[in-house]
Amino acid sequence: MKKNIIILFTILIYSITNAQSKDLLKLAKGDFLGMNAIFDSKENLFGYVSIYGYGKSGEKTKKFEYVILDKNLNPVANKEFEGDITVADYYAYMDFKGQIILQPSSLDYSLKLKEMFSPSSMVIDVDKNEIHKKIHYDYDGKNFIEIDQPKNWKENKKEDKAEKKEKGYNYVSRVYEIKEGGFLVTEFNNYGTYINNNSISRFDDNKQEIWKYKYNISGDKKSKEILNVIEKDENFIYAFLETNKNKDKSFNLLVLDIKTGKEVHNENLSQPNSDVLDNILYLGRIDNCKNFDDSIVLLGRDYKKGNLTQTTGFVRLIIDKKNFSIETKYLNYELHLKKHIPKLDNYGGVEGGYLLIPKDVFFLKNGSVGILMEKYKPQGQYSASKTTDLVYIYTNKDFSVNGVQIFEKEKTKWFHSDYLFSQYLNDGKDVVFFFKDRQKDNETKEKNWNLFINTLINGNFKQEVVPISSKENIIFPYVAKEGFILLQEFNQKEKYNNVRLERLNY
């Protein structure tokens, strides 16, 4: 299940028959703050969590309420609770234990700076309908410390300043509970302009150290190592170890035994080059990595050697989990895509100064890859940013181009994207993705928003266009259970906030 950013737009649903629906304003008495979808550890949709606010309830607390709906919009649980006063809203997700975590997603900046502190997350036991503060741990280099009340920002800053004056650096640690049992702890010394003495350690459930792996021991301004963990499972931790020496950069594929911390594989990567590997690790908000039972697949952009401003196409990496070998395949604009996309140049540019920008990546079960791009023109000194057509590139399992589908749409100004989100279908064999477009009606000459639902099943594209228009209502589209879309229609004047499921036609 793909989880991309949900973009607000105005629409009116044109045909709804026997749709499952709920009015969010009637589910709780508080002010509706927001809703988001939640997924289990296998990335299957579990349902939705809505958050409601009731205002200040104490010197350092606010009163909230959560309402949990299952994937069919049936109420599962709801409860009022006390949260930290610094919280403006929560974002919900499900951890590997099946608990729902309410993580503060925005802060209340109406408070004075001296009153601000990092708020705690909350934990919901769905079966018992109980909620409590999430236990946070700190690690001081020797012991775990349970944190029940975070310090305010001013106190933290004061303590950091005193430690830096005494030691010359700030010791930083982070604690992560893992499904394989126990905890992973990362540590380093922060000197401000560089860090060193890094380590990653595993502790058991009793917080006893099992192993510690050290790196970047003597890092400084000119030399450093960075451990980029890309995946882990019950056997191994997979990472790219980045080494920088006097502006020369290299990467090794590092595999650690999760039970012992010992290196089971450490190999320098001669290809792709370091700039490409950098891009794979830092591609932005796109989910460009997929973990399969026998392999890990990653995708990034390829670049002209020595020039990070000119992308030449894409590169796919497959890490074999049995022998840790890496297969590298390239997809080049000039060699492989120019004949499919009109006016495409060698560096991803198209007509009128627009560039092809990646918006999503799909790793299908048969080994094929889909790359969804959007034509984007950056903001100029006297002009707005613009987006136009979407371009879907689909390959076979060998990363060779099977075809390109171009979805023409109107020019949109001041938006970075008209793309919404996507969903895998049929156990990962197929995909559906959604985008919006504001188009002029040939008869009325009025401009209305349309929702475009695009399926790729057995290599064949099908598109459904939903004509829409409304001046009063605001709709938020959400990912839903397989074969459906969830639409939240909000009308402030009529005090109407309804969510409903609609079946997709495919």
Side-chain angles (χ1 to χ4, degrees):
M1 186 77 64
K2 308 289 289 186
K3 290 162 275 189
N4 295 79
I5 300 173
I6 298 170
I7 302 176
L8 169 67
F9 65 103
T10 302
I11 64 175
L12 177 66
I13 306 310
Y14 76 110
S15 63
I16 303 170
T17 58
N18 299 321
Q20 297 155 296
S21 64
K22 285 289 182 296
D23 188 342
L24 295 178
L25 294 184
K26 294 180 180 179
L27 293 178
K29 295 179 180 179
D31 295 328
F32 175 76
L33 300 179
M35 182 185 80
N36 70 268
I38 50 175
F39 304 82
D40 63 21
S41 58
K42 295 182 180 180
E43 297 190 349
N44 297 315
L45 180 71
F46 173 84
Y48 305 88
V49 174
S50 295
I51 301 295
Y52 301 81
Y54 291 87
K56 187 176 180 181
S57 59
E59 185 179 350
K60 292 186 177 181
T61 60
K62 281 181 182 174
K63 185 178 176 182
F64 297 90
E65 183 173 359
Y66 64 81
V67 176
I68 303 172
L69 303 175
D70 68 14
K71 61 184 178 182
N72 296 311
L73 300 186
N74 298 312
V76 173
N78 69 287
K79 193 163 193 165
E80 296 177 4
F81 66 95
E82 302 289 332
D84 292 324
I85 196 170
T86 48
V87 178
D89 194 8
Y90 289 95
Y91 176 84
Y93 69 92
M94 182 171 282
D95 67 8
F96 62 86
K97 296 178 180 180
Q99 303 174 129
I100 293 177
I101 311 299
L102 300 183
Q103 179 176 293
S105 60
S106 58
L107 300 180
D108 186 350
Y109 289 103
S110 66
L111 299 173
K112 296 178 181 178
L113 184 60
K114 66 180 181 180
E115 299 174 317
M116 294 296 288
F117 58 87
S118 298
S120 298
S121 296
M122 307 297 293
V123 180
I124 302 172
D125 184 321
V126 181
D127 294 332
K128 297 180 180 178
N129 193 26
E130 294 177 350
I131 184 167
H132 59 82
K133 277 194 174 184
K134 182 176 173 60
I135 298 174
H136 293 273
Y137 291 104
D138 197 2
Y139 183 71
D140 63 4
K142 295 181 180 179
N143 301 297
F144 282 76
I145 302 167
E146 187 174 321
I147 303 171
D148 56 357
Q149 182 60 55
K151 298 183 180 72
N152 66 41
W153 293 354
K154 192 174 182 179
E155 289 173 333
N156 273 327
K157 188 175 180 180
K158 185 178 180 180
E159 289 185 5
D160 287 346
K161 187 176 180 180
E163 183 188 31
K164 182 77 177 290
K165 185 177 181 180
E166 178 188 353
K167 298 179 180 178
Y169 62 84
N170 289 123
Y171 167 79
V172 180
S173 67
R174 296 186 177 94
V175 179
Y176 307 90
E177 190 173 7
I178 58 175
K179 66 180 180 181
E180 293 76 20
F183 305 85
L184 287 180
V185 175
T186 61
E187 302 170 84
F188 61 88
N189 296 335
N190 184 1
Y191 290 83
T193 55
Y194 65 94
I195 65 174
N196 64 22
N197 201 31
N198 293 65
S199 68
I200 180 171
S201 309
R202 185 177 178 186
F203 292 77
D204 62 21
D205 292 328
N206 297 317
K207 305 177 185 63
Q208 298 300 309
E209 185 179 295
I210 302 173
W211 54 259
K212 175 175 284 193
Y213 182 84
K214 297 181 179 181
Y215 62 99
N216 194 39
I217 305 300
S218 55
D220 55 31
K221 293 180 181 180
K222 295 183 179 180
S223 177
K224 63 181 178 181
E225 291 179 329
I226 302 172
L227 188 69
N228 303 283
V229 175
I230 54 175
E231 280 294 348
K232 69 173 179 63
D233 55 31
E234 65 275 9
N235 297 312
F236 303 111
I237 296 174
Y238 304 86
F240 288 135
L241 181 63
E242 176 184 340
T243 302
N244 294 269
K245 290 185 179 179
N246 298 319
K247 297 183 179 181
D248 290 330
K249 185 185 300 184
S250 63
F251 285 85
N252 281 34
L253 173 62
L254 175 66
V255 183
L256 301 178
D257 188 309
I258 200 168
K259 298 178 181 68
T260 66
K262 293 181 179 179
E263 292 184 5
V264 295
H265 189 80
N266 191 343
E267 179 185 2
N268 181 256
L269 301 177
S270 58
Q271 64 166 323
N273 64 54
S274 58
D275 291 334
V276 173
L277 284 166
D278 240 350
N279 178 260
I280 289 174
L281 293 169
Y282 307 111
L283 194 58
R285 305 179 77 98
I286 297 177
D287 185 4
N288 65 324
C289 178
K290 182 77 171 176
N291 188 21
F292 294 94
D293 291 338
D294 59 350
S295 63
I296 302 169
V297 186
L298 303 101
L299 184 113
R301 285 192 278 191
D302 195 13
Y303 289 92
K304 182 179 180 181
K305 189 174 181 179
N307 191 336
L308 289 177
T309 64
Q310 294 183 317
T311 175
T312 59
F314 294 92
V315 59
R316 184 193 68 179
L317 301 184
I318 298 180
I319 302 172
D320 190 308
K321 289 185 175 182
K322 292 181 180 179
N323 57 22
F324 310 122
S325 62
I326 295 185
E327 177 190 276
T328 306
K329 292 283 183 75
Y330 295 88
L331 196 157
N332 186 268
Y333 287 136
E334 181 179 11
L335 298 178
H336 307 123
L337 289 171
K338 210 166 187 177
K339 60 183 178 182
H340 297 281
I341 304 173
K343 299 183 180 180
L344 176 67
D345 66 27
N346 297 342
Y347 304 110
V350 286
E351 69 282 350
Y354 283 79
L355 301 170
L356 287 180
I357 303 297
K359 304 309 299 182
D360 211 341
V361 180
F362 309 98
F363 302 100
L364 301 182
K365 200 168 186 177
N366 63 1
S368 64
V369 177
I371 306 170
L372 185 64
M373 314 275 281
E374 189 170 30
K375 295 179 181 179
Y376 171 72
K377 190 172 185 178
Q379 178 180 347
Q381 186 175 1
Y382 302 106
S383 61
S385 60
K386 307 174 186 69
T387 59
T388 58
D389 306 340
L390 285 165
V391 178
Y392 190 99
I393 302 163
Y394 51 108
T395 77
N396 59 22
K397 64 180 182 179
D398 296 319
F399 205 50
S400 298
V401 178
N402 268 355
V404 174
Q405 188 80 16
I406 298 176
F407 300 92
E408 295 183 357
K409 61 182 180 65
E410 295 296 317
K411 183 189 301 180
T412 302
K413 294 184 179 181
W414 296 117
F415 283 92
H416 288 277
S417 181
D418 284 325
Y419 175 59
L420 297 172
F421 53 85
S422 63
Q423 179 183 13
Y424 286 114
L425 301 173
N426 303 321
D427 194 30
K429 296 177 184 177
D430 305 301
V431 71
V432 57
F433 62 90
F434 305 81
F435 68 87
K436 62 185 175 70
D437 191 21
R438 191 164 181 259
Q439 299 178 328
K440 182 183 290 187
D441 186 279
N442 291 331
E443 295 182 3
T444 65
K445 306 303 180 183
E446 294 180 353
K447 282 192 173 183
N448 299 305
W449 283 104
N450 287 340
L451 176 66
F452 290 77
I453 303 169
N454 313 277
T455 54
L456 178 62
I457 298 177
N458 295 324
N460 298 312
F461 273 103
K462 180 182 177 181
Q463 184 180 81
E464 182 181 2
V465 183
V466 179
I468 46 178
S469 69
S470 174
K471 295 180 180 179
E472 296 83 12
N473 298 337
I474 297 175
I475 295 286
F476 294 87
Y478 291 84
V479 68
K481 62 182 180 179
E482 185 170 320
F484 287 79
I485 184 172
L486 181 75
L487 297 155
Q488 178 191 2
E489 184 177 4
F490 177 70
N491 186 312
Q492 187 172 9
K493 184 178 179 181
E494 301 295 331
K495 301 296 183 183
Y496 178 78
N497 193 344
N498 192 72
V499 289
R500 53 180 170 263
L501 289 169
E502 281 203 62
R503 185 183 294 276
L504 305 177
N505 295 320
Y506 68 89

